[in-house]
Amino acid sequence: GAVVSQHPSRVICKSGTSVKIECRSLDFQATTMFWYRQFPKKSLMLMATSNEGSKATYEQGVEKDKFLINHASLTLSTLTVTSAHPEDSSFYICSARDYWGGSSYNEQFFGPGTRLTVL
Amino acid sequence: GQQVMQIPQYQHVQEGEDFTTYCNSSTTLSNIQWYKQRPGGHPVFLIQLVKSGEVKKQKRLTFQFGEAKKNSSLHITATQTTDVGTYFCAGSGAGNNRKLIWGLGTSLAVNP
């Protein structure tokens, strides 16, 4: 099946620094990638939808200047958490949708997630 | 806005018992997907339902999509400890809007 990688898997940073998280589709092309945030034992919260070659669409309440998303190619999207604060600590998960998918064209393939801890 | 409600939030069962989780959408969906997330893992796609009244089976798992395409259920027969995890439904709106609206998930615990 389709594989999505995410890097790094864990990151600990100091308050005020920026952290970049990469999401790659390894064996398929993804015109659309999604970024989610998940709190412990909670549901997925969609942060933004990233389309290759265009600006990301952010969900209500998500600061676009704080969570910078770049989708430069059909296999790579990045999320940068700028000026991170302890409240940004969370599990960030990306997913990708297969460009050529058939009947399951809407299926999302998830990366393993990135655990961010801001001290 | 469009919402997908999922119940129950948590379920504890004895191994061998059945389990069902339900999803209800405030609007008609074009399709609904189900995902499973194991503890410490990431969501993994299980199935997509598209047709009104559709029923699909995967071994001990039975998925249903309501006639009105506003509700869905996942039923697990004779649960096993490997079924532990959180089950999410996610509905896609009608038309060209393929954004998924996620339910809050049902966390299943199975006592051996």
Side-chain angles (χ1 to χ4, degrees):
Chain A
V3 178
V4 175
S5 72
Q6 218 174 307
H7 178 80
S9 58
R10 285 181 184 274
V11 58
I12 301 173
C13 69
K14 292 182 180 180
S15 187
T17 60
S18 294
V19 175
K20 179 186 282 189
I21 303 170
E22 291 187 349
C23 178
R24 293 181 185 272
S25 58
L26 298 185
D27 51 2
F28 68 99
Q29 292 182 322
T31 50
T32 305
M33 288 184 172
F34 303 88
W35 286 96
Y36 293 88
R37 185 173 178 177
Q38 189 174 35
F39 293 99
K41 298 185 178 180
K42 296 292 184 183
S43 185
L44 298 164
M45 185 191 84
L46 178 65
M47 297 175 66
T49 302
S50 168
N51 292 297
E52 185 265 337
S54 64
K55 291 183 179 180
T57 302
Y58 289 82
E59 295 300 300
Q60 192 172 10
V62 178
E63 298 177 57
K64 59 181 66 177
D65 293 332
K66 179 165 187 64
F67 299 99
L68 301 178
I69 292 173
N70 183 276
H71 193 161
S73 75
L74 284 172
T75 59
L76 173 65
S77 177
T78 60
L79 167 67
T80 301
V81 182
T82 62
S83 187
H85 288 100
E87 56 265 29
D88 298 325
S89 299
S90 189
F91 191 52
Y92 293 88
I93 313 178
C94 72
S95 71
R97 195 155 59 198
D98 189 341
Y99 180 73
W100 296 110
S103 61
S104 295
Y105 70 93
N106 208 29
E107 173 184 349
Q108 293 184 23
F109 300 96
F110 282 83
T114 297
R115 178 77 56 192
L116 170 63
T117 303
V118 184
L119 302 176
Chain B
Q2 187 176 10
Q3 292 184 340
V4 173
M5 309 297 291
Q6 190 173 353
I7 58 170
Q9 189 174 2
Y10 301 100
Q11 184 84 59
H12 271 85
V13 299
Q14 284 294 129
E15 190 171 21
E17 291 182 341
D18 292 355
F19 160 77
T20 306
T21 173
Y22 301 90
C23 274
N24 286 289
S25 169
S26 57
T27 58
T28 302
L29 301 169
S30 63
N31 64 73
I32 194 160
Q33 301 176 21
W34 285 90
Y35 292 78
K36 177 183 178 181
Q37 184 175 21
R38 294 180 183 274
H42 59 276
V44 174
F45 175 82
L46 294 177
I47 208 161
Q48 176 174 274
L49 304 172
V50 179
K51 299 176 183 177
S52 169
E54 188 170 15
V55 178
K56 287 189 177 180
K57 291 191 176 186
Q58 290 179 350
K59 297 182 180 178
R60 294 178 294 103
L61 276 61
T62 302
F63 303 85
Q64 290 188 315
F65 200 11
E67 294 289 341
K69 300 183 73 172
K70 295 178 71 172
N71 57 72
S72 181
S73 65
L74 158 58
H75 180 82
I76 302 178
T77 304
T79 55
Q80 300 175 359
T81 54
T82 53
D83 295 325
V84 166
T86 301
Y87 293 85
F88 293 98
C89 64
S92 185
N96 291 323
N97 177 12
R98 297 193 294 169
K99 174 178 150 181
L100 287 180
I101 308 299
W102 291 79
L104 293 180
T106 297
S107 293
L108 172 64
V110 179
N111 296 325

